[in-house]
Amino acid sequence: MNADLFLLIYACLKAFLPLPSIEAVFVPLCLAAPTKSFYYAVVSGIGTFLGGYIGYELSVSYGRKVALKLVNEETLSEGEATMQKYGAMAVILGSLTPFPDFVLAYLAGLCRMNRWLFLLLDGGCRFMRSLLVAATLSKASEFIAIEKYSTLLSILILVYFLGKYVIRKKT
């Protein structure tokens, strides 16, 4: 499978399943092919948009039953309260940070947030985040011979995000 398709599929799945952050895949790809960084940001944004839509629809169709397979009742109740209180602002802040995006999709669906508003905000903000990462990597490659260290950096980034994922699953 080529890197473009893998990134698209991973970004889509990441938006409605509890997988390690998209940066675990996105950053190593950008490091391996710095000239394609902005292209990868677009692919990542499209995948996140599609995955957010799937998560939202799953939540609307199957409600709490699906969400409770991924998070506990307390976390879900706190998330619903936050989404009810802050709505669009919660989606914007959650999308611009490493907050697990699958949670946003389910909460937006459970709270019956306007579908198109959610998709626009979540997909748009996650796309902006990917563009920021791509721009940062592109700029950094002007000062650092990233190609020389890309394999090591990619491994370190992958270990970091997988470690965070494993620790989060154990708690």
Side-chain angles (χ1 to χ4, degrees):
M1 180 183 315
N2 74 20
D4 306 1
L5 182 57
F6 178 77
L7 177 62
L8 179 69
I9 292 169
Y10 188 85
C12 183
L13 293 174
K14 170 63 187 120
F16 70 95
L17 294 173
L19 298 171
S21 176
I22 188 66
E23 282 81 8
V25 174
F26 178 68
V27 170
L29 287 174
C30 291
L31 292 173
T35 58
K36 293 181 78 175
S37 294
F38 291 99
Y39 170 73
Y40 289 141
V42 171
V43 171
S44 177
I46 292 169
T48 299
F49 179 84
L50 295 172
Y53 179 72
I54 292 168
Y56 181 95
E57 291 301 327
L58 283 172
S59 182
V60 166
S61 299
Y62 300 102
R64 296 179 72 79
K65 188 180 350 178
V66 171
L68 287 172
K69 299 237 184 254
L70 301 169
V71 297
N72 63 38
E73 178 69 42
E74 181 182 343
T75 302
L76 188 57
S77 294
E78 288 174 15
E80 284 178 304
T82 301
M83 186 63 78
Q84 292 288 357
K85 185 174 182 179
Y86 298 105
M89 188 55 68
V91 173
I92 292 169
L93 292 175
S95 298
L96 290 173
T97 65
F99 185 81
D101 44 352
F102 75 94
V103 175
L104 288 174
Y106 289 107
L107 289 174
L110 284 172
C111 295
R112 298 295 195 262
M113 181 179 202
N114 179 286
R115 172 184 291 107
W116 299 113
L117 177 63
F118 166 73
L119 292 172
L120 176 70
L121 294 175
D122 184 58
C125 289
R126 295 232 180 246
F127 175 62
M128 287 190 309
R129 182 174 154 200
S130 292
L131 284 175
L132 180 62
V133 170
T136 302
L137 290 172
S138 177
K139 202 64 165 160
S141 69
E142 293 176 14
F143 303 104
I144 305 167
I146 288 182
E147 301 83 35
K148 185 176 178 181
Y149 304 106
S150 65
T151 302
L152 177 62
L153 284 170
S154 296
I155 291 169
L156 290 173
I157 290 166
L158 189 59
V159 167
Y160 171 77
F161 283 112
L162 287 174
K164 277 182 61 175
Y165 176 72
V166 168
I167 290 168
R168 189 175 63 213
K169 289 303 258 183
K170 286 185 178 182
T171 57

